[in-house]
């Protein structure tokens, strides 16, 4: 009996080994890992630039765009820095630094141009299905915050990208913009707001689905769903072996060889980067943070608010804590979201393993993690306070932005899971980075995208960075330069500071994407300063 068991076990192991040796011996041009907005955007660029290339995309779930790109897993703001106050910090001397806001807006303008081109090519169809104008507002109360908002508004007018923004401390004016945030509010409370009419709401899941549908029309593009990438190894011939498990076919394993690999797997990108073994990935770690939102679908409530209203984080809370009450348009339905309320899980994706965080720990990233933990006790305290929140606490937070909110109109939903980047730092040992990070092999043959916000909003810009990293020689060719210029008319130029170009690009995009065009005017800075000072004097 023992002998029979051993023979049976041997046959099983032999069959398993044979199964894992199923390979694609001829290298494909590139493997894209992850079926979200990032991989879909890179695949779309490459199809236009090199239509003869063979592209394999692997997505672990049964449908693409089900994690961070899914419309219910993000705020859909289309981060342009019009309303997000964490992109404009005030120094101790009272100067507002707008450099990050300008960079974020430049990036989002690239995404808008990219989408406009794809609408012209009928790759994306019916712009209203994925992008709609929803004004972006910043809203604050209290003298210190109002003073900050005045300075922020004045500073932003130095950039052509933020011309057209309006500022008010008049409750009646603000009520015209967003009635829900004013009705029922204490009239003694001093308030201020800015408004940018050309703000947008974006359904990134819909963008991703439409891009992938178009890519699948090409014979050299292959989308593999329910395929989990479990290992990445460098070969002697400098190609990459990507080992994949087909979860739809009895966990059958196969290996595909590729000249290039892009890892755009959201929170799981870190673990796959580590498996690749490239030295550039050493020292990186991740801190997972989830979120919940209150959602309202009651038409009586929804139709009285048409804006994305962002507030200011409370003192001693991280940038991710910025509260906002948002109009969303999902599959033609208008709803309201309020949040976020932070959650914690050791998962790196909404649909992954609780062991993700522990599997990502290595001897090379342990010190950065410990250092960040010591330096960010504020973040830990914030997360603990968020986890302790009751339903009444959630409602009280909402009433700071919507004073007459009724608990029966709102329900709490689970949003997406994000992994904040922790990176090795020679001076501090480790730092926590809010934003996205591109990590590439020295020869450019493999790149991974780590991090979170602004993420999807700047996908087209980030993928241009990936193209420059992975395909430097190709990028220098006349053919690639010409094609990219067609796809992104401002490619190679900065829009900020060029009034004529700002208006030209925005008018072009607005016409194609069926959006508002707000002309950026050459308002003298001194005149703007005088307006703000007059409003301050009235206070």
């Amino acid at each position: 009996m023992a002998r029979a068991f051993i023979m049976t076990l041997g046959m099983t192991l032999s069959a398993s080994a044979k199964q894992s040796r199923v390979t694609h011996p001829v290298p494909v041009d590139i493997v894209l890992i992850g079926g979200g907005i990032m991989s879909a955007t890179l695949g779309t660029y490459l199809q236009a630039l090199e239509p003869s290339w063979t592209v394999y995309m692997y997505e672990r779930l049964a449908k693409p765009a089900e994690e961070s790109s899914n419309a219910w897993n993000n705020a859909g703001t289309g981060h342009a820095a019009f309303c997000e106050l964490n992109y404009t910090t005030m120094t101790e001397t009272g100067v507002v630094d707008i450099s990050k806001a300008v960079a974020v807006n430049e990036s989002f303008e690239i995404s808008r141009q990219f989408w406009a081109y794809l609408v012209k090519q009928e790759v994306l169809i019916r712009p209203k299905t994925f992008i709609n104008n929803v004004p972006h507002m910043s809203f604050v109360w209290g003298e210190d915050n109002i003073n900050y908002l005045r300075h922020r508004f004045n500073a932003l007018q130095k950039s052509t990208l933020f011309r057209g923004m309006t500022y008010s401390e008049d409750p009646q004016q603000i009520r015209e913009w967003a009635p829900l945030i004013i009705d029922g509010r204490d009239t003694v409370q001093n308030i201020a707001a800015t408004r940018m009419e050309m703000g947008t709401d974006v359904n990134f899941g819909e963008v991703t689905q439409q891009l992938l549908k178009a890519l699948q029309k090409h014979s050299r593009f292959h989308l593999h769903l329910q395929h989990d990438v479990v290992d990445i190894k460098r070969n002697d011939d400098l190609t990459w072996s990507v080992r994949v498990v087909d979860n739809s076919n009895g966990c059958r394993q196969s290996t595909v060889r590729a000249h290039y690999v892009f890892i755009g797997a959201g929170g799981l990108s870190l673990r796959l980067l580590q498996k690749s073994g490239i030295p550039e990935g050493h020292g990186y770690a991740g801190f997972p943070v989830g979120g919940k939102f209150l959602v309202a679908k009651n038409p009586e409530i929804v139709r009285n608010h048409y804006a994305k209203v962002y507030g200011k984080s409370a003192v001693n809370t991280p940038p991710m804590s910025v509260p906002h009450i948002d109009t969303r348009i999902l599959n033609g339905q208008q709803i309201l979201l309020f949040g976020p309320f932070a959650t914690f899980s050791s998962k790196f994706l909404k649909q992954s393993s609780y062991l993700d965080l522990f599997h990502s720990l290595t001897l090379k990233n342990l010190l950065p993690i410990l250092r960040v933990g010591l330096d960010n006790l504020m973040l830990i305290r914030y997360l603990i306070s968020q986890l302790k929140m009751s339903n009444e606490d959630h409602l009280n937070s909402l009433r700071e932005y919507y004073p007459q909110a009724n608990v029966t109109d709102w329900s709490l939903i689970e949003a997406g899971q994000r992994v904040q980047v922790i990176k090795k730092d020679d001076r501090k040992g480790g730092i926590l980075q809010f934003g996205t990070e591109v990590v590439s092999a020295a020869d450019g043959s493999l790149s991974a995208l780590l991090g979170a916000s602004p993420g999807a909003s700047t996908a087209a810009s980030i993928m241009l960075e990936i193209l420059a990293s992975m395909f430097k020689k190709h990028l220098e060719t006349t053919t690639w330069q010409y094609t990219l210029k067609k796809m992104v008319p401002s490619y190679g130029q900065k829009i900020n500071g060029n009034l004529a170009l700002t208006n030209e690009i925005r008018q072009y995009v607005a016409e194609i994407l069926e959006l508002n065009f707000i002309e950026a005017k050459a308002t003298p800075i001194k005149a703007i300063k005088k307006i703000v000072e007059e409003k301050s004097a009235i206070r």
Side-chain angles (χ1 to χ4, degrees):
M1 178 179 281
R3 184 178 180 183
F5 174 76
I6 292 171
M7 289 180 64
T8 302
L9 180 61
M11 291 173 65
T12 302
L13 292 173
S14 176
S16 177
K18 183 178 180 181
Q19 191 178 57
S20 68
R21 286 198 298 269
V22 176
T23 61
H24 301 270
V26 178
V28 302
D29 290 291
I30 186 168
V31 164
L32 306 176
I33 304 174
I37 186 72
M38 296 299 177
S39 292
T41 299
L42 181 56
T44 302
Y45 270 128
L46 291 175
Q47 200 288 316
L49 294 165
E50 295 291 341
S52 65
W53 281 12
T54 303
V55 179
Y56 276 40
M57 178 184 286
Y58 293 104
E59 166 55 47
R60 58 191 295 273
L61 300 180
K63 291 173 60 178
E66 286 298 289
E67 284 286 348
S68 298
S69 301
N70 185 288
W72 288 98
N73 291 340
N74 58 70
T77 299
H79 291 279
F82 293 145
C83 57
E84 306 94 320
L85 301 178
N86 54 304
Y87 294 145
T88 47
T89 57
M90 180 181 277
T91 67
E92 293 181 358
T93 58
V95 176
V96 175
D97 181 0
I98 67 169
S99 57
K100 186 171 183 179
V102 169
V104 169
N105 192 279
E106 286 267 12
S107 294
F108 186 55
E109 288 293 341
I110 289 174
S111 288
R112 287 171 19 118
Q113 291 174 67
F114 179 68
W115 297 335
Y117 167 81
L118 295 176
V119 169
K120 287 202 305 181
Q121 300 301 310
E122 298 184 348
V123 170
L124 294 176
I125 57 174
R126 299 191 305 277
K128 294 294 184 187
T129 63
F130 64 88
I131 188 168
N132 291 272
N133 272 125
V134 175
H136 285 194
M137 291 177 59
S138 299
F139 177 64
V140 300
W141 55 86
E143 284 305 320
D144 287 345
N145 289 336
I146 292 173
N147 182 57
Y148 159 76
L149 194 64
R150 290 191 202 114
H151 280 80
R152 177 182 187 268
F153 171 75
N154 194 37
L156 287 174
Q157 301 314 297
K158 298 173 184 176
S159 165
T160 59
L161 301 173
F162 295 88
R163 305 279 171 81
M165 179 180 285
T166 51
Y167 174 92
S168 179
E169 297 176 23
D170 179 3
Q172 290 306 313
Q173 174 63 76
I174 298 172
R175 189 184 186 283
E176 289 181 17
W177 294 342
L180 289 190
I181 67 174
I182 299 300
D183 290 346
R185 187 172 295 278
D186 188 343
T187 56
V188 177
Q189 186 181 52
N190 295 327
I191 59 175
T194 58
R195 183 175 185 265
M196 196 67 161
E197 190 178 339
M198 63 174 289
T200 52
D201 175 71
V202 184
N203 185 332
F204 294 105
E206 181 65 23
V207 173
T208 306
Q209 298 284 2
Q210 290 192 29
L211 292 181
L212 292 178
K213 185 177 181 179
L215 283 170
Q216 289 179 85
K217 294 177 182 179
H218 302 277
S219 61
R220 293 186 177 274
F221 177 83
H222 305 270
L223 173 61
H224 301 274
L225 299 175
Q226 291 182 275
H227 280 65
D228 201 3
V229 174
V230 294
D231 203 10
I232 305 171
K233 297 297 182 187
R234 194 68 186 262
N235 300 318
D236 292 338
D237 63 357
L238 301 184
T239 62
W240 293 93
S241 285
V242 180
R243 186 155 58 91
V244 186
V245 174
D246 182 355
N247 294 316
S248 67
N249 187 19
C251 295
R252 184 183 179 89
Q253 293 192 20
S254 63
T255 300
V256 61
R257 292 171 61 220
H259 292 294
Y260 296 94
V261 176
F262 169 68
I263 307 173
L268 293 185
S269 292
L270 172 62
R271 186 67 182 131
L272 293 174
L273 173 64
Q274 292 171 335
K275 285 180 177 292
S276 74
I278 64 171
E280 292 81 3
H282 295 166
Y284 279 94
F287 184 81
V289 178
K292 290 183 178 181
F293 281 91
L294 287 170
V295 59
K297 299 180 181 179
N298 183 341
E300 293 290 328
I301 304 298
V302 172
R303 68 167 169 249
N304 281 317
H305 183 88
Y306 198 79
K308 289 182 178 290
V309 180
Y310 274 58
K312 203 169 188 297
S313 298
V315 178
N316 293 326
T317 57
M320 70 180 74
S321 66
V322 175
H324 44 96
I325 183 166
D326 291 352
T327 294
R328 297 297 318 274
I329 301 172
L330 305 179
N331 302 318
Q333 181 186 12
Q334 185 176 325
I335 64 171
L336 285 185
L337 290 182
F338 176 79
F341 303 103
T343 63
F344 177 79
S345 168
S346 55
K347 289 183 177 183
F348 277 4
L349 288 174
K350 196 173 180 179
Q351 302 179 63
S352 62
S353 170
Y354 286 105
L355 297 176
D356 290 341
L357 175 59
F358 308 103
H359 285 159
S360 72
L361 300 178
T362 69
L363 292 175
K364 293 177 180 177
N365 68 18
L366 208 52
L367 178 60
I369 289 175
L370 293 173
R371 185 70 257 178
V372 164
L374 291 172
D375 291 343
N376 288 271
L377 295 177
M378 170 191 73
L379 174 59
I380 296 171
R381 285 195 295 268
Y382 164 73
L383 285 174
I384 292 172
S385 68
Q386 290 279 290
L387 294 172
K388 290 167 62 179
M389 289 183 77
S390 64
N391 290 337
E392 185 177 355
D393 292 330
H394 293 143
L395 185 63
N396 288 336
S397 294
L398 170 61
R399 282 176 174 162
E400 289 189 311
Y401 288 84
Y402 174 19
Q404 296 180 333
N406 190 319
V407 66
T408 59
D409 294 320
W410 298 80
S411 56
L412 196 63
I413 62 167
E414 195 81 32
Q417 188 79 357
R418 303 289 187 270
V419 177
Q420 305 294 337
V421 176
I422 294 175
K423 57 190 296 188
K424 187 177 180 180
D425 181 79
D426 292 336
R427 187 169 62 87
K428 291 186 176 182
I431 55 173
L432 182 65
Q433 179 169 305
F434 297 99
T436 52
E437 179 94 356
V438 174
V439 183
S440 299
D443 66 351
S445 61
L446 179 143
S447 284
L449 187 66
L450 307 177
S453 183
S457 299
T458 57
S461 175
I462 293 171
M463 290 307 106
L464 285 178
E465 186 179 340
I466 292 289
L467 291 176
S469 174
M470 299 185 73
F471 310 106
K472 186 176 180 180
K473 290 184 179 180
H474 291 81
L475 198 62
E476 294 171 353
T477 64
T478 303
T479 303
W480 274 44
Q481 288 287 318
Y482 174 74
T483 303
L484 289 174
K485 190 71 175 178
K486 283 202 307 180
M487 300 179 84
V488 181
S490 72
Y491 177 71
Q493 304 176 76
K494 291 290 185 183
I495 301 176
N496 181 49
N498 188 330
L499 188 64
L501 184 59
T502 299
N503 286 322
E504 179 185 345
I505 292 297
R506 286 183 169 173
Q507 186 170 23
Y508 155 78
V509 167
E511 288 175 358
I512 297 172
L513 296 184
E514 302 172 18
L515 300 172
N516 295 334
F517 168 61
I518 308 298
E519 183 180 5
K521 297 181 179 179
T523 306
I525 298 301
K526 288 183 178 179
I528 294 169
K529 185 177 181 182
K530 183 179 179 182
I531 291 170
V532 176
E533 287 175 345
E534 286 174 352
K535 289 181 177 179
S536 299
I538 293 172
R539 293 243 24 92

